[in-house]
Amino acid sequence: SRSSSMGPSSKAGPAANGKRPRRSGTDQEIDLAAIAEFKHAGGFVDDGASFPPQLGTQLHNSISGQAHKAAWTGFFGALQKAADLNSLTSAARDALHNLRNGKPTAAVQSIEAATAALKWALDGPLALALSAVEAQVSDDPETVWTDLGLGEFADSLLRNLGAGASRSEQRQSAAVRGALVRGLQAISDAVDELPADSDVRALVPEDCFLSLGICQLLRCISPFLLDKSKGAKTLLREYNDADQQLFPASPLQDHFAVLDHVGKSLFLNLYIGQRVPVDLVLSREDIFEDFVAALQGDDSRPLREAGVITLRAYFKSEYGGKEINGTRVEEGEGLGPRKEFYALASLYLKAGWRDKVAVEGTVTIKKGAREVRGQDTKFLRDVQKGMRLSVGVGKHDKPHNEREKVEEVISDTELVLAAPLPSAHNSESVWVSQDTTPLFLYSKGTETYWYNDRIQDTTENRTRYVAAGRMIAAALADRCKLDTILSEPIFSQLMLGSLNDYHPTVRDVTNFDADMGRNVCKIQKMSKGQVKELIESEELEDVVSTAEEYIAHTCRSLLLDSVGWQAAALHKGFQLGVVPSWWTKCRLTPRNLQKVVCGTADVTADFDFRKVFRVVEDPELQQCVPLRSALWATIDGLDRVKKRKLLQFITGVDRLPIAGTEMIKIEMPFMAYSEDEHKKTLMMMPQAHTCDNILELPNYWQSLVAVHKVENGSDAEPNENELVPRLRKLILQKVETAFSLADGFGLDTAFD
């Protein structure tokens, strides 16, 4: 069996001859080999289908510690009887009551032990079955994953879950799966019923109830749930039919505790339903300001009014081959430009400088010199003191990383920098970075971005925050991510119908800024007299009178009142594009929403294309073993920087989607028959269509073989060991050249 990534982490469940599921580094994978060994040894899985009559007892006995085991006796007894959700929740509530006299950390350990037992029994068979279905699809070159309908996929999964089992055993297995799901949801509900300031509730990890198997299941069926050719009602109906087979009496839509942010977002996508399309014509240099202007424009009523929208982004280009609203734009449209819009526009939320092409001409800068000399330049018109200057390599190139402030503009052809640039330059492009005020500032405590509390309260800035909120809501509906990681408390505020309902706790402050949290905690240890003096010193006698009230006031002041108008404007824009019932319907938490909208924080991390994307290969590629092996050896061997460049070449942005929710298609549409055609093929570059994440690849292997035969005057098949190194070198050269040359959607054409 192959390892299959299951998403969030899960602690080990019952021992299987000393074996427990392992987590591999940060991949958090279920160890399928351990599960298979447990199954073979006569564990709780019998031929992948039926569970022993004493499942509840077996799982209960897996909990170590007599006190913990005693607390959960009633719960696992109810589980053995396949009780309904209400009964299981009541039993879980009793278990938590039995743990109330112990330390909070011990109670949390007990909760984790109980949920780990449930997840072990639930995830093991699912992991094996999903692995088997994936293997069957991979082994059939004529079938791709999405060729299976959702119903056919569910049938295939059920066959693998119940291989060799009778109908009655399969029904028993399905009933047990449903009971395990209800059990996890019941414990989650019981924990949620604890008081908001409960230490136990605060200490329970967010992934405590997540089922790795179900998370992976939803990643597998995400292409079906995201099928744009069908309406949301049709997709929900098809899903419900499959869900009823897999988890009878426990539909996942009623048991969201077992899902991670990816699973919840898939259902949210279906609940959102129809979106109103809004066309945006933008320039990359002023992309966010163009969006702000569109929000205020007379032609953008859907953007200003309440409603769920989908953005159709078009980038201005004087060389564009089509027009939108009378403006020439680049050829690209659809998903690629839309993702690029959110990536670029969100960068301006935190940018203190805005890049613009100021001057074109020949510019010379000597190494170590501050003087910049230009020819056919207009420095007096285009450059001002205080701007940052940078140079590019080509006429339309992006700015060089080396940039410095302008100290003085002497003439149209001469200016002086505040400090010398490290390198010498002789360039065709001069760029200046214009000073701008960011809406969000970096918070070192959380490595995320928080409201700019120093920005001026003006109508213009309020409008920019409203636009940012509208953009965040649109990104959620468009299933696109921002390139700025906003702090979790921001999402706590955005999800509320009114900011008057926002009541942050000491723990919220501590999670946002540890130093702030420690200072607030000191107040809890003060005497009444000290608290009174503190209140009087800050002249808050008319507002608070006790330590508890002072702490609540301080927490709200830190996380809301100090940035009140910024939060209100952002909240206003966000609420235009969402429906508040989404959060309760999908049980989305602020952290869930943060992950869905902002993605992962480490945008420089290495990744595996085939783990992040569902890769669909052309049958010709699947059957050409030397080409397929060389291609993936080349891609997998790229360093993380080059992988990001290739990612941008194929998809339009260098940000990763949520794993398993997007597809990359590798197509081979080119034909070669004659010697000249084969030689031309070897000169061709790969092509990318970012609108649909398509990589078009010439068959370099076929042409290498054909040219080799002609050069050697023989029809005999060449020795693969001789040609494969040449093939790998050729693919590496072509791939690197392709993503190095590509810049913008105007190059969504052949490089031949």
Side-chain angles (χ1 to χ4, degrees):
S1 299
R2 299 175 301 162
S3 290
S4 178
S5 178
M6 295 290 123
S9 99
S10 172
K11 293 185 180 296
N17 294 333
K19 294 279 186 178
R20 290 179 180 270
R22 295 193 304 267
R23 287 187 290 174
S24 175
T26 57
D27 291 338
Q28 301 174 347
E29 297 179 340
I30 288 182
D31 187 342
L32 299 186
I35 295 171
E37 182 177 333
F38 184 80
K39 167 185 170 182
H40 181 72
F44 57 77
V45 185
D46 178 16
D47 291 326
S50 64
F51 293 77
Q54 297 303 317
L55 172 66
T57 301
Q58 183 182 11
L59 297 180
H60 186 212
N61 288 338
S62 72
I63 298 176
S64 59
Q66 289 301 315
H68 295 324
K69 188 175 296 186
W72 293 98
T73 299
F75 175 84
F76 282 100
L79 181 75
Q80 184 64 51
K81 298 175 183 178
D84 59 26
L85 181 59
N86 288 335
S87 299
L88 283 170
T89 303
S90 177
R93 199 180 296 124
D94 292 340
L96 297 184
H97 182 76
N98 293 334
L99 295 167
R100 72 188 188 283
N101 293 327
K103 294 181 179 179
T105 52
V108 172
Q109 289 172 357
S110 183
I111 293 170
E112 288 183 297
T115 57
L118 298 175
K119 290 188 287 187
W120 171 251
L122 176 62
D123 293 342
L126 273 175
L128 288 171
L130 285 168
S131 180
V133 174
E134 287 184 305
Q136 290 164 8
V137 173
S138 300
D139 291 342
D140 184 356
E142 299 299 321
T143 303
V144 296
W145 188 265
T146 49
D147 285 343
L148 298 175
L150 185 54
E152 188 178 351
F153 172 84
D155 289 340
S156 179
L157 183 61
L158 285 168
R159 285 194 299 271
N160 282 281
L161 280 167
S166 65
R167 288 280 185 182
S168 61
E169 288 175 322
Q170 290 184 31
R171 285 194 296 272
Q172 181 189 10
S173 174
V176 169
R177 281 196 301 277
L180 295 170
V181 169
R182 290 196 300 278
L184 288 166
Q185 183 67 54
I187 301 177
S188 174
D189 289 346
V191 170
D192 286 344
E193 291 174 3
L194 295 173
D197 59 352
S198 165
D199 289 334
V200 172
R201 180 174 175 176
L203 291 173
V204 172
E206 189 172 8
D207 63 357
C208 183
F209 313 103
L210 303 187
S211 162
L212 298 176
I214 292 177
C215 289
Q216 179 65 9
L217 168 63
L218 286 176
R219 281 166 169 76
C220 289
I221 66 174
S222 62
F224 308 117
L225 298 180
L226 298 173
D227 186 352
K228 293 184 178 180
S229 67
K230 299 178 180 178
K233 291 183 179 179
T234 300
L235 291 172
L236 271 174
R237 184 176 63 252
E238 291 180 356
Y239 169 77
N240 288 334
D241 291 342
D243 193 27
Q244 181 58 32
Q245 297 181 66
L246 295 169
F247 305 101
S250 299
L252 294 185
Q253 293 181 71
D254 296 333
H255 299 80
F256 277 110
V258 300
L259 305 185
D260 63 359
H261 66 284
V262 177
K264 292 177 183 179
S265 72
L266 289 171
F267 285 109
L268 174 62
N269 183 67
L270 298 179
Y271 297 153
I272 289 175
Q274 193 69 29
R275 287 91 157 159
V276 177
V278 176
D279 290 342
L280 293 176
V281 178
L282 311 148
S283 64
R284 287 188 175 85
E285 292 78 18
D286 295 302
I287 191 166
F288 183 68
E289 300 307 325
D290 285 350
F291 180 70
V292 174
L295 186 67
Q296 300 173 295
D298 296 332
D299 300 330
S300 301
R301 281 184 55 193
L303 201 58
R304 296 195 310 273
E305 297 176 349
V308 183
I309 61 174
T310 180
L311 299 182
R312 297 192 296 211
Y314 301 91
F315 290 102
K316 298 176 185 177
S317 172
E318 58 181 307
Y319 310 107
K322 62 182 178 183
E323 289 189 2
I324 299 293
N325 299 332
T327 303
R328 297 182 72 86
V329 297
E330 294 176 0
E331 296 290 338
E333 61 179 69
L335 179 61
R338 183 183 298 126
K339 289 191 297 184
E340 186 180 10
F341 161 74
Y342 287 112
L344 291 179
S346 63
L347 287 177
Y348 281 85
L349 301 181
K350 61 185 178 183
W353 299 88
R354 188 173 65 208
D355 288 322
K356 295 178 70 71
V357 177
V359 180
E360 292 189 7
T362 301
V363 179
T364 302
I365 306 175
K366 294 182 179 180
K367 184 177 181 179
R370 295 166 54 203
E371 294 76 18
V372 178
R373 301 188 184 278
Q375 183 176 352
D376 298 327
T377 52
K378 300 292 183 182
F379 289 156
L380 289 173
R381 182 192 67 187
D382 299 322
V383 185
Q384 299 174 13
K385 180 179 178 180
M387 288 183 171
R388 290 191 185 184
L389 181 139
S390 180
V391 293
V393 178
K395 186 174 182 181
H396 300 291
D397 198 15
K398 295 180 179 179
H400 196 280
N401 286 333
E402 297 176 1
R403 59 184 68 193
E404 186 53 64
K405 280 188 178 182
V406 175
E407 184 174 279
E408 183 181 3
V409 180
I410 299 174
S411 67
D412 275 341
T413 59
E414 186 177 1
L415 59 82
V416 179
L417 301 176
L421 293 176
S423 307
H425 296 278
N426 190 352
S427 172
E428 295 181 359
S429 298
V430 179
W431 298 68
V432 289
S433 299
Q434 197 169 19
D435 189 7
T436 186
T437 305
L439 300 182
F440 299 90
L441 298 176
Y442 185 68
S443 170
K444 189 175 181 180
T446 57
E447 297 185 356
T448 58
Y449 283 82
W450 179 247
Y451 301 106
N452 183 351
D453 59 356
R454 299 191 292 272
I455 191 172
Q456 279 190 308
D457 184 2
T458 64
T459 301
E460 179 185 358
N461 284 332
R462 283 179 179 256
T463 302
R464 293 171 71 207
Y465 273 110
V466 171
R470 189 60 160 131
M471 183 175 70
I472 294 170
L476 177 64
D478 277 335
R479 294 188 60 79
C480 292
K481 289 186 290 188
L482 306 182
D483 231 345
T484 298
I485 311 297
L486 301 178
S487 296
E488 185 180 338
I490 292 176
F491 291 96
S492 298
Q493 297 164 6
L494 292 178
M495 294 173 72
L496 294 172
S498 169
L499 289 180
N500 292 330
D501 298 327
Y502 184 57
H503 303 292
T505 65
V506 176
R507 190 165 285 107
D508 294 326
V509 174
T510 302
N511 290 338
F512 173 69
D513 189 300
D515 291 335
M516 283 185 183
R518 279 191 289 270
N519 290 333
V520 174
C521 287
K522 291 178 182 178
I523 302 170
Q524 296 173 322
K525 301 177 181 179
M526 289 182 177
S527 66
K528 290 184 179 180
Q530 290 173 319
V531 171
K532 184 180 179 181
E533 289 179 6
L534 184 61
I535 293 173
E536 290 174 350
S537 68
E538 297 186 19
E539 299 181 352
L540 295 174
E541 297 95 330
D542 296 335
V543 180
V544 298
S545 59
T546 66
E548 290 74 16
E549 291 175 350
Y550 179 82
I551 289 172
H553 172 81
T554 301
C555 292
R556 182 179 169 86
S557 176
L558 289 170
L559 294 185
L560 182 60
D561 295 343
S562 61
V563 289
W565 70 265
Q566 297 95 320
L570 190 76
H571 184 269
K572 177 182 178 181
F574 183 76
Q575 291 296 316
L576 286 174
V578 301
V579 178
S581 62
W582 291 347
W583 324 132
T584 52
K585 200 169 185 179
C586 296
R587 292 185 65 135
L588 272 171
T589 66
R591 186 166 298 175
N592 288 156
L593 186 58
Q594 180 195 39
K595 289 180 179 179
V596 170
V597 173
C598 298
T600 57
D602 187 1
V603 297
T604 63
D606 198 3
F607 65 96
D608 186 321
F609 273 93
R610 286 177 285 184
K611 286 186 178 180
V612 175
F613 293 89
R614 305 198 77 69
V615 179
V616 177
E617 299 175 349
D618 193 299
E620 183 180 349
L621 177 62
Q622 292 180 341
Q623 294 165 13
C624 186
V625 176
L627 179 62
R628 185 178 187 274
S629 298
L631 175 67
W632 286 114
T634 300
I635 293 175
D636 293 340
L638 294 174
D639 62 37
R640 64 184 67 184
V641 174
K642 290 180 178 178
K643 278 186 183 177
R644 292 278 170 175
K645 289 182 179 179
L646 179 59
L647 173 66
Q648 185 165 21
F649 176 68
I650 298 173
T651 70
V653 292
D654 63 357
R655 288 290 296 256
L656 296 171
I658 297 172
T661 61
E662 284 194 24
M663 185 182 299
I664 285 179
K665 297 179 182 178
I666 303 178
E667 298 181 351
M668 301 182 67
F670 310 108
M671 308 290 288
Y673 299 100
S674 68
E675 178 186 350
D676 286 343
E677 288 174 339
H678 280 299
K679 288 182 177 179
K680 286 183 179 180
T681 296
L682 295 178
M683 305 243 342
M684 289 179 66
M685 308 289 282
Q687 300 176 28
H689 300 281
T690 59
C691 305
D692 298 303
N693 292 356
I694 294 175
L695 176 66
E696 292 183 346
L697 186 73
N699 194 330
Y700 295 122
W701 174 254
Q702 183 185 67
S703 294
L704 268 178
V705 170
V707 171
H708 183 273
K709 288 180 179 180
V710 172
E711 291 175 347
N712 288 273
S714 171
D715 289 333
E717 292 297 322
N719 187 336
E720 285 191 10
N721 293 332
E722 295 179 7
L723 283 189
V724 165
R726 288 179 57 188
L727 175 65
R728 291 191 176 183
K729 183 177 180 180
L730 178 66
I731 291 177
L732 178 61
Q733 175 192 350
K734 298 295 185 183
V735 167
E736 289 188 344
T737 304
F739 64 59
S740 297
L741 289 176
D743 184 20
F745 293 93
L747 293 182
D748 199 16
T749 52
F751 288 97
D752 51 18

